[in-house]
Every structure is written in C-alpha cells, then in structure tokens.
Amino acid sequence: NGSAPSLATVPAAAKNTTAAVIKTFNEATWDAVKRNPEYKVMTFRIRDVKASQYIRLRGTNLPPSVPFETDADGNPLPDVWTNATAVSFQSTSQSGSEFPAGHFLRIPCTVAGTNLPDNGTTYSDVAIDGCPNHLPVKGGVKQSAYDVAAWADLWLYSNPIFIEVRGSTKVAGVE
C-alpha cells in the first residue's frame, strides 16, 4: 500500500485506545534524594480512584515532537525511519509492498569525528566522537541506523501496576 505502519492498521483488540499520558516528569519536576542526590524521586498521587484499574510507567530520553522519533504527544514513532534493510508491508487488500533497503532512511548523521574505528575493529575504551563508518549512506549523507539509532532513543516500560478498589472488580492474583 506504499505507506509506513501506523496504529490505524493495528486491530482494536491489540491496542488500548483509552490509554493516556496523565503526568510527565523531567529534571524540573523531580527531587533529589537527600542522602544521595544522584538518585531522583518523582511523586504522583492518583485521587478519587473508584474502580479497579492498572497504570503503566513509560519513559524516554526524548521530548515530544522529535522528527522521526516522537509525535507531538511524546509517543514513539515506528523505527522504520532508521531501518536500512528491505521492508515489506502486508495488507489485506493486496499481497504486500516491498521497499528496497534504505528507502525509509530519514535521519542524517553528519557529525564528523576524529576517533572513528574502521569497520570490524573491536571497540576500545576511547569514545567514538562522530558518525561511525558502518552507517548506510543515502544521497551522499550517512544516515542514522543500527547501533546509533538504537542508542539515540531510549525507552522504558513498566509492567502493569494494579490498583484494586474494595467493592470493585477483583484483580486476579491479589490476595
């Protein structure tokens, strides 16, 4: 069908359309632990809980609206923009569309460095200070892919934290 994957193509049973971001934390909204300021504390009180439910924690090192990385609400975008291999999208209306390797690359890596080990060289403790040699090139420009893309956008997701309210739906496994 010629388009990148989106949540519009995900079946309703496989996504939670009621999920919402209810609190965002950053260095301006967390507190340092007095005994060890390296550790940070974030506090959020959920008020007026009337029904059993669950919450999840999600975090990233990226703000909202980073091109090809996050949308305006801070949600992650598909990694297809850093995929240097061929991509095949399947559709119910047709057998699928194949896109050649590098077709979707959109994030340039233009930092020139002085410590760029040759491809195949075992990494040492000296920091790489520019775009690695092994990145794919599109239109004469190195593109972020592979390990550079993997470390550029870090995400964490918690397991669900269940909240059971007496007299409401019982949460399985809670004694």
Side-chain angles (χ1 to χ4, degrees):
N1 64 13
S3 63
S6 75
L7 280 179
T9 62
V10 176
K15 59 186 172 185
N16 181 350
T17 58
T18 63
V21 175
I22 57 174
K23 179 69 176 172
T24 301
F25 295 97
N26 59 34
E27 60 267 356
T29 58
W30 61 50
D31 297 313
V33 174
K34 289 181 183 176
R35 292 186 189 151
N36 191 343
E38 185 176 315
Y39 291 93
K40 308 302 181 214
V41 175
M42 292 149 274
T43 305
F44 178 69
R45 183 178 301 266
I46 302 172
R47 299 188 185 279
D48 301 322
V49 176
K50 295 181 172 63
S52 296
Q53 57 191 281
Y54 71 93
I55 60 172
R56 287 186 189 260
L57 307 176
R58 180 181 78 185
T60 182
N61 63 326
L62 299 176
S65 300
V66 173
F68 310 113
E69 295 286 356
T70 58
D71 67 14
D73 295 320
N75 296 307
L77 296 175
D79 282 337
V80 69
W81 307 113
T82 59
N83 188 342
T85 59
V87 176
S88 178
F89 294 116
Q90 297 302 315
S91 159
T92 55
S93 62
Q94 58 187 27
S95 63
S97 299
E98 182 77 21
F99 294 90
H103 177 81
F104 289 106
L105 291 174
R106 299 283 192 279
I107 305 172
C109 188
T110 57
V111 177
T114 57
N115 181 34
L116 301 173
D118 292 330
N119 291 344
T121 300
T122 302
Y123 177 75
S124 68
D125 61 348
V126 179
I128 295 172
D129 61 357
C131 299
N133 294 318
H134 65 275
L135 292 180
V137 176
K138 182 176 179 182
V141 178
K142 286 183 182 178
Q143 299 292 313
S144 182
Y146 309 121
D147 54 338
V148 173
W151 288 102
D153 57 346
L154 303 177
W155 291 87
L156 72 90
Y157 295 87
S158 76
N159 285 330
I161 300 168
F162 294 99
I163 302 167
E164 183 177 278
V165 175
R166 279 194 188 127
S168 184
T169 304
K170 182 152 179 60
V171 176
V174 174
E175 299 291 326

